[in-house]
Amino acid sequence: MSTKTPSEADILRPIDNFSKKYFILFGVAGLALGAFMVGWMYQLWQGMAVTGLSDWGSGGGVTWGLYIGAFIWWVGIAHGGIILSAAVRLLGMDRYMPVARLAEMLTLAGLSAAGFFILVHMGRPDRMVTSVLGHYHITVNNSPLVWDVTVITAYFVLTATYLALTLRYDITRLRGQLPDYLEPVYKVLTLGYTKKEDKVIERMVWWLALAIIIMAPLLLHGGVIPWLFAVLPTYPGWFSAVQGPQFLTIALTSAISGVIILSYAFRRAYDWDHIITDDIFRGLMLWLGFFCLLFLWLQLQQLTVGSFAPATDLATATDSKFSHWMYVVPMLMVLGVLAFIFAQTVRPSLFSKTRSIIAAVLVLMATLVEKTYFVIAGFWYPTFSIYEATPGDYFPSVIELLSLTGTIGLVVLFFLVVSKLVPVVELHAIEHLNGEHGHDHESDHEAATEPEVDA
Amino acid sequence: MIAPATLLSALSWLLYHGYEGTEGVTGFPNIGTYIIFGVVLVPIYVMIAAWFIGEPKDTKTGLMGVTYLVGITAQMWIGMFVLTMIIAVVFYGGLPEPLASGGP
C-alpha cells in the first residue's frame, strides 16, 4: 500500500501527458483497426462469401461463426463496467469507486465493438437502418434480432447518459485545470450546469443505475441475447431455458476480467498504485472466482441433462462437448482460474497482480473460445442433422480473425482518446479516498428514498 | 362517422403497408410486444417516472435527462443511417429501399 495521497493532479495526469509509449500504442491499435477496415471493405466489395459465412455450401453448414461469437463476447465484457459502477452507487461498494468510471467507459467501448459486429455480419449492411426502423412496428413483435437491437440501443443510451450526467460535476470543478483547446467539448458536456443540480443529478443517476442493474444483466445478457439462440427448438445445443443464466455468468466473468486488465493498465501507466490499490484487485479476483463458479455450475446443468436420458439430437450435441477441444479446454481454463482463486483465498500470499492479469487473460480467452464453439456447434448438430451433407468445415477466415484484433484495437483507441478528454477516475473517488464528503450524496439519497440495507 | 371496418382496414394498412402476406405471423400484438414493452423496458419507465416524482427533483434537470436519452438515441441511429447510406452508395450502387427503387 502506498503512502501517497490521492489528489486532483493524479486524475488529471492522463490528460496532460503524452509519452512515447502512448504514441506507439496508438499506432499499433490504429494499425490493428486499419487492417480490419481494409478486410471489411474487401468483404463489402466482394460480399460475405469471402468469409465462407452465408454460404451453405462450403462451411459444413456453419453460417454464424467468429463474428457472432465475438459479438457475444464483447457484449459480455461491456457488462462489467456498468454493473460494477451501479454496485458502487446502489450497494455502497465504495472500494471499487476508483475504477467505476473506467468500467463505465469499458461498457461504451465494448458495446460499440459488439454493435460493429452486427453491422459487419450483414450481407447488405446498407439496408440495416432502413429495414430495422421502417418495419420496427412489425418486426419487434416477433423477431429476437430486433429485440436485441432495441435493448442494446437502450443499454448504450443509459450508460452514455449515466456517464454524461456524472461528468458534469467533475468537469465543472476541474475546468481550470483542463486543457483550453478542448473548451467546446467541455462547454457542451456541462451545458446549463448549476450547483444546485448536483443533488438532483445524484438522485437521477441512482435511479439510472437501478434501471441499468436490472435491465443489463437480467434482461439483456441474461435475456435478449441468449434468446437469439435459446428459443430455437431445432438447435439442441442452443435450445434451453438455462442459456439466460449461463450467458450472464459468461458475461460477468469476462467483464470482471476486462476491468482487471484495464485497471492494471491505467495504474501502471499513470502511477496510480495509491488510487487503484492492490485491495481493488484482490476484491475483483474474488468476484471473478464467484462468477467462474456459477459459470461452471450452469455448464454442469447442461452436461447432466444432456447426458442422463437425452433426446437423440441433444445427445449428439452433448457428446461433442465432451470431445471437442473448443469446449473442453475453456472449461479447464476456467476451472484452473477458480482453483487458483480458491487457493489465493486460503493463502493470501499467493496473490499478485501479475497472476491476476494471467487469470483475467485466461478467462477472456476461455469465454471467447467457448462462445464461438457454442455458436458454431449449434450449426454442427441441428435436429435431424439437416446440414450433414453440406461439404467443408468452418474455420475463421483471415478477415474474421482481423475483426477480432481490429475491435480490440478500436477499444484501445477509445481509451487512448477518451483519457485525454475527461478524467477516467471520478473526482468523487478522490474525495472519498481522502475522507472528504463535501458532496455527500449518500445522505442526500437516503433522504430521498426508502432506507436501504448495506450490502 | 367512420365505419369500424374502415377503421380496421386503416389500422391494418398502418401496420402492414404492403406486407399483408405476413399478417397472422407477424404484427401487433405478439410475444415481443409483451416482452420488450411490458417487461424489458419497464426499468426505464420506472427510472423516468422517478426523475419527476419524489425529492429532490427539478423538472428542468429531469427534462435535461430525457433530452440526453433522446439525443443519444438519435445520434446513434442517425450516425448509423449516414454510415449505411455511404456504404450503400460506395458498395451497392445506390440508396436502398424505400429511399430508391430496390434495383435488380
Side-chain angles (χ1 to χ4, degrees):
Chain A
M1 210 36 209
S2 170
T3 51
K4 286 186 279 184
T5 309
S7 66
E8 288 182 3
D10 282 323
I11 63 171
L12 289 166
R13 202 173 308 135
I15 298 173
D16 302 328
N17 285 293
F18 287 91
S19 64
K20 196 172 157 190
K21 280 182 191 162
Y22 176 89
F23 287 111
I24 292 173
L25 188 57
F26 201 101
V28 172
L31 271 179
L33 179 61
F36 170 52
M37 294 313 281
V38 172
W40 185 37
M41 276 195 262
Y42 180 70
Q43 179 188 308
L44 287 169
W45 179 42
Q46 293 287 321
M48 276 285 285
V50 295
T51 61
L53 298 164
S54 83
D55 179 353
W56 290 101
S58 64
V62 172
T63 53
W64 280 6
L66 184 60
Y67 281 158
I68 298 299
F71 158 74
I72 306 170
W73 187 64
W74 273 122
V75 186
I77 292 172
H79 271 67
I82 203 67
I83 290 170
L84 198 76
S85 186
V88 170
R89 206 166 286 275
L90 299 174
L91 306 176
M93 294 164 70
D94 290 344
R95 178 201 283 197
Y96 303 106
M97 210 187 258
V99 295
R101 181 167 290 157
L102 276 174
E104 290 156 24
M105 290 169 167
L106 184 60
T107 295
L108 292 184
L111 275 183
S112 303
F116 192 25
F117 271 110
I118 297 181
L119 195 64
V120 167
H121 199 301
M122 287 189 155
R124 287 294 299 265
D126 56 318
R127 293 174 179 165
M128 181 187 161
V129 177
T130 50
S131 61
V132 169
L133 295 189
H135 307 92
Y136 185 82
H137 60 294
I138 299 172
T139 50
V140 73
N141 306 307
N142 298 276
S143 166
L145 289 167
V146 177
W147 306 348
D148 185 44
V149 169
T150 308
V151 185
I152 286 189
T153 300
Y155 185 29
F156 187 94
V157 170
L158 290 184
T159 309
T161 304
Y162 186 99
L163 190 61
L165 289 176
T166 51
L167 273 172
R168 291 167 69 83
Y169 177 86
D170 290 23
I171 291 176
T172 309
R173 275 153 191 80
L174 298 170
R175 180 64 200 91
Q177 300 160 71
L178 294 167
D180 287 336
Y181 65 91
L182 291 170
E183 175 66 17
V185 178
Y186 300 133
K187 240 183 188 156
V188 171
L189 287 173
T190 55
L191 205 66
Y193 179 85
T194 58
K195 209 169 175 206
K196 79 173 179 40
E197 80 172 34
D198 290 345
K199 286 181 181 175
V200 181
I201 292 275
E202 200 54 52
R203 184 174 167 275
M204 281 169 68
V205 292
W206 188 90
W207 280 98
L208 197 43
L210 185 69
I212 290 170
I213 213 165
I214 292 171
M215 198 187 79
L218 302 182
L219 302 170
L220 177 58
H221 215 96
V224 171
I225 291 179
W227 292 336
L228 290 172
F229 306 90
V231 298
L232 302 174
T234 49
Y235 295 86
W238 297 347
F239 186 64
S240 165
V242 86
Q243 292 306 350
Q246 177 74 84
F247 267 53
L248 179 57
T249 59
I250 297 170
L252 292 173
T253 50
S254 42
I256 297 290
S257 301
V259 174
I260 288 175
I261 292 172
L262 186 62
S263 306
Y264 181 73
F266 271 90
R267 168 178 154 140
R268 206 185 140 112
Y270 297 108
D271 204 12
W272 278 350
D273 49 320
H274 57 310
I275 296 174
I276 304 176
T277 58
D278 284 5
D279 195 34
I280 290 178
F281 289 99
R282 282 179 189 275
L284 288 173
M285 282 293 278
L286 275 182
W287 281 108
L288 182 62
F290 177 62
F291 295 136
C292 283
L293 182 67
L294 292 181
F295 169 95
L296 292 169
W297 172 63
L298 288 162
Q299 294 289 351
L300 178 69
Q301 303 291 332
Q302 295 186 74
L303 293 177
T304 307
V305 172
S307 304
F308 182 71
T312 311
D313 55 357
L314 181 58
T316 311
T318 308
D319 282 348
S320 157
K321 287 183 178 173
F322 282 111
S323 56
H324 203 286
W325 73 268
M326 282 182 75
Y327 184 81
V328 175
V329 173
M331 291 308 125
L332 293 176
M333 286 162 86
V334 175
L335 188 63
V337 169
L338 176 61
F340 169 70
I341 295 172
F342 181 75
Q344 181 199 294
T345 311
V346 177
R347 185 172 292 190
S349 62
L350 284 174
F351 168 83
S352 81
K353 286 183 294 299
T354 310
R355 286 175 188 161
S356 304
I357 294 292
I358 293 171
V361 170
L362 283 176
V363 167
L364 281 175
M365 286 164 58
T367 49
L368 177 65
V369 174
E370 193 278 338
K371 237 37 272 171
T372 307
Y373 167 83
F374 171 84
V375 171
I376 58 184
F379 286 103
W380 281 338
Y381 306 107
T383 303
F384 298 135
S385 305
I386 53 172
Y387 308 135
E388 190 73 15
T390 314
D393 206 355
Y394 173 76
F395 189 82
S397 60
V398 175
I399 299 177
E400 288 169 85
L401 293 170
L402 285 175
S403 74
L404 195 62
T405 48
T407 44
I408 293 171
L410 174 77
V411 170
V412 172
L413 283 175
F414 173 89
F415 277 99
L416 289 175
V417 171
V418 92
S419 64
K420 297 293 165 207
L421 295 176
V422 292
V424 295
V425 172
E426 273 191 84
L427 188 53
H428 276 317
I430 299 299
E431 292 166 353
H432 178 77
L433 285 169
N434 290 333
E436 298 164 17
H437 293 285
H439 182 72
D440 195 353
H441 56 85
E442 286 302 319
S443 55
D444 295 341
H445 159 62
E446 277 168 19
T449 56
E450 295 294 316
E452 57 176 313
V453 179
D454 277 345
Chain B
M1 177 81 187
I2 306 168
T6 317
L7 199 67
L8 265 181
S9 142
L11 191 65
S12 170
W13 182 85
L14 195 70
L15 270 178
Y16 297 107
H17 58 272
Y19 295 85
E20 284 79 4
T22 66
E23 193 173 1
V25 181
T26 67
F28 180 87
N30 211 313
I31 186 169
T33 322
Y34 305 115
I35 287 183
I36 296 301
F37 298 106
V39 179
V40 175
L41 298 181
V42 169
I44 300 183
Y45 309 152
V46 173
M47 171 193 85
I48 294 175
W51 284 358
F52 295 97
I53 306 164
E55 291 297 330
K57 67 162 186 277
D58 174 42
T59 308
K60 208 177 130 201
T61 313
L63 285 174
M64 182 186 79
V66 174
T67 311
Y68 272 60
L69 296 177
V70 175
I72 295 168
T73 310
Q75 171 267 322
M76 265 179 89
W77 281 90
I78 293 169
M80 271 194 285
F81 177 74
V82 172
L83 174 66
T84 53
M85 290 308 109
I86 293 170
I87 290 173
V89 170
V90 175
F91 293 100
Y92 298 100
L95 300 179
E97 285 179 301
L99 303 172
S101 87

